[in-house]
Amino acid sequence: VRFNLEKNTIHLYNKIDDAQHHQHHVKPARPVCRRSEVRLLLCALFLAVLGPYVSLKLMNRTHDNTSSIREEIIMSGFNITANSSVGITHDTNEHGGKNINNNTSKLTVLISTYNQTGCLHRLVNHLQKCPVVDNIRINWFQNFPIPQSLANNTNFNTPVTFDTLPNNISHRFLPRDFGTDAVFNMDVDMSYSCDALQLAMDTWQMQTNQTHAAVGFFPRYLPPDKKYYKFDESHYEPYNRNTVFITKGGLIHKDRFNDFFNDSLKPLLDHVDEHITAEDMLMSHILASNQVKTITLCVPRSYWCNLICSGRHESGQYDTLQQRSGGHRGHLMVSFRDYFGNISMEERYNPMIWHGDVAYGSGCNTEFNFCRDHEWMRNT
């Protein structure tokens, strides 16, 4: 996906300038109302009767032209078309997804999955129960068809849309029209209760600058002087942290997806796609470079859980992405750090909020927490 905002916007504004230039340089017509008492009287009567109607039509025409130009500017940001392999959508809602809107009190849930349809079924069924969820988007990276049980199911109250994408892990953050400003990202092997999603949304809405706030559940510390990080270091005292991993469950403003696909970052995205890993760390650095505050919510274990999913490799053996790509994360972390610099550990950029009966000394969202132990996931 290529961004040509500056060029396209200049082109479109030139169209506006041309229209204005034409309007201001039209040759005046000969006056109809010449200096004659009878004609002046007839002209006055004509303007009194038809003047308001003509003015209204001109105003409507001007408004329609402006709306069309604005829409063209907005849609010129990136090229996703129905004929492209990127962004082909399949909406399973009987209303064709028309009930998706820019609702400021709800969020979009964005799920990334690869050959894990069992867990996907459970997540979609569970999320139907959550009032805070406006719509569900699925990053579909497989070449084989979408399961009929999901693609043709018209019984969903919350619309489900599959975005058929190239098998590039960076495309989990592909910009698109989400229908809401708030987008909650998650992997298919994580699940969050409706209370957890509502808490994330409430916390995000309380921020002064929501466009530059991220709310998540899994903090991380990406060190300034090492080639590795400890995945659980931030979950225990003294809770060293400087980011949250959005991929494990985190809410960000939809504009941050545009930051991720900035043209200048293409070499980094290519490395991420080549090694099929580290998009989480890259997003963390991008958030920090754009001064996005990353908020960690420490919640009771009843608020979230781990699903057991597995994927079959072409060889027929089951494996995980960690087994295939984990060895590349260290050098990718160093390359991101060299490009962006170190991420601050200051509390004002990385606040940690404790919710419910969670004790400070007991740890923050420590894994593993299996979904079989939670009532809200048993009937999915």
Side-chain angles (χ1 to χ4, degrees):
V1 177
R2 304 284 299 182
F3 285 84
N4 296 296
L5 278 173
E6 182 176 354
K7 180 178 71 176
N8 290 342
T9 303
I10 291 172
H11 168 70
L12 290 164
Y13 276 115
N14 283 339
K15 290 171 64 179
I16 298 174
D17 291 338
D18 290 341
Q20 293 174 340
H21 178 83
H22 176 73
Q23 289 175 356
H24 288 100
H25 293 80
V26 175
K27 184 178 180 179
R30 291 185 65 186
V32 176
C33 299
R34 296 184 179 275
R35 299 200 173 190
S36 149
E37 291 181 3
V38 175
R39 288 184 179 179
L40 284 174
L41 182 61
L42 290 174
C43 286
L45 182 62
F46 172 84
L47 292 174
V49 174
L50 297 181
Y53 172 78
V54 174
S55 298
L56 181 61
K57 293 296 290 183
L58 288 173
M59 288 175 64
N60 287 340
R61 181 179 178 184
T62 303
H63 174 75
D64 292 341
N65 289 342
T66 304
S67 299
S68 176
I69 292 172
R70 285 182 183 276
E71 183 179 13
E72 191 174 352
I73 291 173
I74 292 170
M75 292 305 295
S76 68
F78 53 89
N79 299 319
I80 298 180
T81 67
N83 296 323
S84 170
S85 61
V86 180
I88 300 174
T89 60
H90 305 267
D91 197 323
T92 65
N93 184 266
E94 61 182 339
H95 303 295
K98 292 182 180 179
N99 55 337
I100 298 178
N101 52 64
N102 290 310
N103 195 327
T104 58
S105 63
K106 293 189 176 185
L107 53 81
T108 298
V109 174
L110 179 63
I111 304 172
S112 293
T113 181
Y114 185 85
N115 197 22
Q116 296 168 320
T117 53
C119 285
L120 183 60
H121 272 280
R122 297 187 66 187
L123 279 182
V124 169
N125 289 333
H126 160 61
L127 291 170
Q128 296 295 316
K129 308 170 188 176
C130 299
V132 74
V133 178
D134 178 78
N135 70 96
I136 302 167
R137 299 292 287 258
I138 312 295
N139 286 330
W140 187 256
F141 295 107
Q142 296 96 303
N143 291 324
F144 52 83
I146 296 165
Q148 291 298 312
S149 55
L150 289 172
N152 295 330
N153 193 333
T154 59
N155 296 322
F156 291 141
N157 294 321
T158 302
V160 180
T161 303
F162 283 80
D163 295 325
T164 303
L165 304 173
N167 191 14
N168 295 327
I169 198 168
S170 65
H171 279 61
R172 70 179 302 157
F173 294 123
L174 184 73
R176 67 206 89 162
D177 181 10
F178 288 106
T180 64
D181 288 341
V183 182
F184 189 88
N185 302 261
M186 59 189 297
D187 283 325
V188 72
D189 59 355
M190 296 294 299
S191 186
Y192 291 87
S193 69
C194 296
D195 289 339
L197 294 175
Q198 186 65 63
L199 177 63
M201 186 65 183
D202 291 343
T203 304
W204 188 73
Q205 287 184 310
M206 288 189 296
Q207 304 308 306
T208 303
N209 188 356
Q210 295 172 4
T211 62
H212 286 71
V215 180
F217 295 87
F218 287 87
R220 290 292 186 268
Y221 175 54
L222 302 180
D225 55 355
K226 297 179 180 178
K227 296 182 179 181
Y228 64 91
Y229 71 92
K230 299 178 180 178
F231 85 94
D232 60 347
E233 178 178 2
S234 303
H235 294 268
Y236 298 96
E237 293 186 77
Y239 303 107
N240 293 329
R241 64 195 183 281
N242 55 9
T243 189
V244 292
F245 272 3
I246 298 300
T247 56
K248 292 184 68 64
L251 191 159
I252 57 175
H253 191 276
K254 62 183 180 182
D255 288 352
R256 304 287 70 78
F257 289 76
N258 297 328
D259 298 338
F260 193 86
F261 267 83
N262 188 291
D263 271 349
S264 64
L265 302 180
K266 189 179 185 304
L268 299 180
L269 267 64
D270 289 343
H271 284 306
V272 164
D273 290 333
E274 177 186 358
H275 299 296
I276 325 175
T277 190
E279 81 286 2
D280 47 8
M281 292 189 290
L282 179 56
M283 177 55 90
S284 289
H285 278 279
I286 291 172
L287 293 177
S289 68
N290 285 279
Q291 299 181 330
V292 175
K293 180 168 66 172
T294 55
I295 304 165
T296 299
L297 298 178
C298 300
V299 296
R301 293 177 72 78
S302 60
Y303 275 48
W304 64 276
C305 61
N306 301 100
L307 285 164
I308 305 300
C309 308
S310 58
R312 184 182 292 274
H313 206 27
E314 292 180 358
S315 64
Q317 300 295 319
Y318 285 96
D319 66 355
T320 65
L321 189 60
Q322 174 65 24
Q323 291 171 329
R324 280 181 281 160
S325 305
H328 299 287
R329 292 180 66 81
H331 74 81
L332 287 172
M333 182 179 73
V334 172
S335 66
F336 300 156
R337 188 172 65 209
D338 291 342
Y339 184 89
F340 292 100
N342 299 328
I343 302 178
S344 172
M345 287 183 64
E346 290 186 49
E347 179 72 21
R348 58 176 174 153
Y349 297 126
N350 306 280
M352 182 173 275
I353 301 174
W354 298 80
H355 180 77
D357 57 358
V358 182
Y360 180 86
S362 62
C364 176
N365 306 334
T366 56
E367 297 188 271
F368 288 92
N369 180 20
F370 297 111
C371 288
R372 63 171 177 262
D373 300 326
H374 299 285
E375 184 68 31
W376 48 272
M377 281 299 293
R378 286 178 186 168
N379 298 322
T380 58

